[in-house]
Every structure is written in C-alpha cells, then in structure tokens.
Amino acid sequence: MGLLYLALVHHPVVNRRGEVVASAVTNLDLHDLARTARTYDLPACFIVTPLEDQQALICELISHWCEGVGREMHPDRAQALDLLRIEASIEGACRAIERETGTKPQLWATSARQSTRGLGVSDARGQLAKSEAPVLLLFGTAWGLAPSVLQGADGLLEPIRGKGDYNHLSVRCAAAILLDRLLGQAG
C-alpha cells in the first residue's frame, strides 16, 4: 500500500474573488489536521506557506505542545503535532517526500467544485491499496486551491456531497471525511 501524506495549502489558494493569495494559518486547523493525520497513521501533515511570519507562528505552536509543559499536560496532542512539517511550497513538500521514500509522490487535489476529471473515492482507495508510490493529498485553505494546482495535480478527488445543495465544509471537516473514506475501516 502506498503512503498517504496530507498537505494543508495556504499558497497558492484563491480568495472569494478568485484572486491567487496566501491565506493565514489558523491554530484550530493545525491542531485538528494533526490529530486527524495521527488517527489515520499518516507519516506527516505538511503545512504549506511561503510566509515567514506564518512559519514562525507554526514553529511556536509546535514547540509549545511538543516540548516542556505542553507535552507533559497533553502527550496525545504532542504525538499528533509532531506530524506537522512546514514547507514553503507544494514542490518543497514533494521533495521532502521523495527524500524520505525514494519516490516522487503523486499529487491528488481536492475541491468543493465539481470537475469532469474527478477521481472517485472508491477508485482512489483502490489505487492507494495497490500502489507503492506515495500520494500527497492537497487541501486548500481560503476558497480553495488555485487553478494552477488543480490543473497540475495527477488526480482531483470528487467533492464531498451532502443531501442538499449546500457545500461549504471547513477544511478540517473535509479532510476528516476524505481520510476516513480513503483509509477508514469499511463497514
């Protein structure tokens, strides 16, 4: 089975006007995505931002929970936050995975928007089970991944759909749902 890595992308993403931007890191996203990555035994969760002040904030948060009193008070949280890795770009995350595994990862992107090239979750789950190649699963912050990222991905997972027309899940919820569908115990 191929290894699945997660990336929370803060750049390049789009804002509500469709402009490519860098979004701000949020404490809640980091905690929840790290805990989800730990629950599904992922090797790492990359936080992708080129902004040095945001990288420093992430380092401070990780340091608080993974060293000293934070680790002593909440060792389970430290286990999860130890999985966070900071990269300035998606390409940097890919290089890190390739150094670790010896193989360039496939890029799978996510979007709340429907696409003609959508990869169904059951097909993706099957590919993960059969492949030896690592996969980097990209989640975009703000209003989603930039079009250049979606177009450059090896696969674009079909959006999560509920019962109605409303489709604006938080990135934390979307990641948890997709990871469960890809790696969770069926049944």
Side-chain angles (χ1 to χ4, degrees), residues 153-169:
D154 300 307
L156 178 59
L157 277 110
E158 289 182 346
I160 297 167
R161 293 284 177 221
K163 287 188 169 192
D165 292 336
Y166 188 83
N167 188 24
H168 195 74
L169 290 170

Side-chain angles (χ1 to χ4, degrees), residues 22-25 30 49-61 86:
S23 62
V25 170
L30 300 182
T49 179
L51 303 177
E52 291 178 7
D53 63 333
Q54 298 292 288
Q55 291 177 5
L57 179 67
I58 298 164
C59 286
E60 188 175 326
L61 180 124
I86 304 164

Side-chain angles (χ1 to χ4, degrees), residues 111-139:
S111 176
R113 293 178 219 46
Q114 198 66 38
S115 169
T116 56
R117 56 183 275 252
L119 174 62
V121 174
S122 61
D123 289 337
R125 187 177 173 118
Q127 286 183 29
L128 273 176
K130 293 176 187 172
S131 176
E132 293 297 318
V135 172
L136 179 58
L137 180 57
L138 307 173
F139 287 90

